[in-house]
Amino acid sequence: MGFKLIKKILLFFLLLSLPFFTFAKDGDEHEKDQLKVLGLWNDNDWFAKQKSKKNREIMRPLLVLYNDMIDDPSDNKNSDIHQSLFYKKYYHQGEDREFYNLVKEKFPGFTWGKYTHRLFYHWGFEYGDPANQEKLQVQFYKKLPNATETEWNDFIQLIQSEQEKRNQKTVKATDEFFALAGDRTFSRGIAGICYYTHLLGDLVVHSTNSSESAEAVLSSKFIARNLDRYVKDLATHGNQKEFQQYKEYHEKVLMTVYQSNEQYAQAMIDMLAEYVPKLLKRNLATTFKNKQLEFVN
């Protein structure tokens, strides 16, 4: 087989795979974003890269749990983590399917549809009503046109209950992982920031018309309104100087006109990576050191 023919074949498969790669960030990319905003990922030089790899290995049980709570868990890629005692304490393999089967049992005929899991799990961290409730309602009545208002309310309550359970387990897992002794302020701050970093990462890879499922991803503006409370959690027990600097920078980000929602989302990830590590170094330096984590940002 000639070299030119091989190149053509490889190019063909690369182009064929592009829609899948642009659909959403994969688990690896989400983990790197989350590590970056925690000050634990930097691949600019060899020494920082080695520390970053070590940080990631230490953080994987928690990060895989975070991202599985938001997305459909992979059955194979993180099988080692899925079998760990820490992971199974908060989530077990197939739990997402069990919940979806419960939805199907109570509401026969309803399916994910074009929005997939995002309608169920991409609402917003510790947020009461789903931010994308309108899209969920459209999908619900499209699948179940004869459903009553009572059935719709029952449907919403079922999903709200699942989302609340996942958020609570995420905070508890963070508390245990970092041995924070029940200090839910710090654990809520870390969990909330990592949750929204995942959603911002999804926005970064979506072009305006890349997929209908992108419609169910929360907007950057919604995320921006909810981020501050979790950054403030990390500043609660210490000097507020870094938080005020963050707020001033955040205001500049909010006032900047970006060419796309993706650029805005990336600017917020960069903003978190700039200021969140400062708060963690001030208030949780010993905690991170006890986990053998090393700040690289």
Side-chain angles (χ1 to χ4, degrees):
M1 184 181 295
F3 180 70
K4 290 184 178 179
L5 179 58
I6 294 175
K7 285 180 65 178
K8 288 182 180 179
I9 293 173
L10 290 174
L11 180 61
F12 170 77
F13 282 108
L14 175 62
L15 292 174
L16 187 66
S17 67
L18 280 177
F20 297 96
F21 286 118
T22 58
F23 182 76
K25 285 198 173 188
D26 63 19
D28 288 345
E29 292 171 302
H30 283 308
E31 287 179 22
K32 289 177 182 178
D33 281 344
Q34 289 160 336
L35 288 167
K36 190 178 297 183
V37 302
L38 296 177
L40 301 174
W41 185 268
N42 185 338
D43 53 9
N44 288 334
D45 61 71
W46 188 88
F47 291 103
K49 188 178 295 186
Q50 299 313 304
K51 292 179 180 179
S52 297
K53 289 180 179 178
K54 177 187 172 185
N55 288 337
R56 186 178 183 182
E57 283 305 306
I58 295 171
M59 288 289 295
R60 276 191 71 219
L62 187 61
L63 296 181
V64 170
L65 179 66
Y66 282 161
N67 295 318
D68 282 357
M69 289 284 190
I70 303 171
D71 283 343
D72 295 322
S74 167
D75 290 335
N76 301 313
K77 188 171 184 179
N78 298 307
S79 58
D80 57 330
I81 301 298
H82 292 164
Q83 296 306 313
S84 69
L85 293 177
F86 175 83
Y87 183 93
K88 290 197 289 187
K89 182 175 181 179
Y90 295 100
Y91 202 68
H92 62 263
Q93 192 171 346
E95 191 169 336
D96 60 312
R97 179 52 53 181
E98 291 170 12
F99 174 68
Y100 185 59
N101 289 340
L102 177 63
V103 173
K104 292 281 289 181
E105 177 186 329
K106 291 181 177 293
F107 302 94
F110 181 83
T111 59
W112 288 119
K114 65 182 181 179
Y115 299 126
T116 69
H117 63 278
R118 290 188 175 86
L119 283 176
F120 285 4
Y121 311 133
H122 282 213
W123 288 10
F125 197 71
E126 293 188 325
Y127 198 76
D129 295 329
N132 50 17
Q133 182 168 323
E134 182 180 342
K135 295 182 177 65
L136 180 57
Q137 190 171 35
V138 170
Q139 185 73 5
F140 178 78
Y141 282 109
K142 181 179 179 181
K143 299 294 181 179
L144 304 171
N146 298 317
T148 65
E149 185 177 351
T150 298
E151 288 173 320
W152 161 248
N153 290 332
D154 290 344
F155 180 76
I156 279 289
Q157 289 177 10
L158 180 65
I159 298 174
Q160 277 183 314
S161 176
E162 176 68 13
Q163 183 70 16
E164 182 180 1
K165 181 177 72 174
R166 288 179 179 227
N167 285 346
Q168 289 178 351
K169 289 197 294 186
T170 300
V171 174
K172 287 180 181 178
T174 306
D175 181 77
E176 178 184 341
F177 185 83
F178 286 107
L180 293 169
D183 191 332
R184 294 297 173 81
T185 307
F186 283 142
S187 54
R188 189 184 85 138
I190 293 172
I193 287 169
C194 286
Y195 177 97
Y196 281 119
T197 298
H198 178 119
L199 268 58
L200 288 169
D202 280 347
L203 286 171
V204 169
V205 297
H206 281 305
S207 62
T208 305
N209 299 311
S210 62
S211 75
E212 291 178 319
S213 183
E215 297 175 34
V217 179
L218 299 180
S219 71
S220 293
K221 290 184 178 180
F222 173 89
I223 295 172
R225 289 196 302 269
N226 286 273
L227 264 176
D228 287 0
R229 72 181 74 175
Y230 301 106
V231 179
K232 191 172 183 178
D233 279 342
L234 300 183
T236 297
H237 300 293
N239 192 303
Q240 298 287 311
K241 180 180 178 181
E242 287 87 354
F243 179 67
Q244 291 305 318
Q245 291 175 342
Y246 159 82
K247 282 287 290 179
E248 292 171 7
Y249 189 93
H250 196 177
E251 287 300 319
K252 291 180 181 179
V253 172
L254 291 174
M255 295 298 292
T256 302
V257 177
Y258 294 95
Q259 293 183 349
S260 67
N261 201 28
E262 292 72 35
Q263 288 184 0
Y264 184 24
Q266 184 60 56
M268 279 197 284
I269 291 176
D270 295 341
M271 172 188 68
L272 291 171
E274 175 71 21
Y275 287 98
V276 169
K278 295 178 182 179
L279 299 175
L280 293 173
K281 289 174 185 178
R282 174 178 290 280
N283 294 321
L284 290 174
T286 301
T287 298
F288 274 54
K289 184 177 180 180
N290 289 341
K291 289 294 295 184
Q292 298 184 317
L293 295 166
E294 296 185 74
F295 290 110
V296 292
N297 283 339

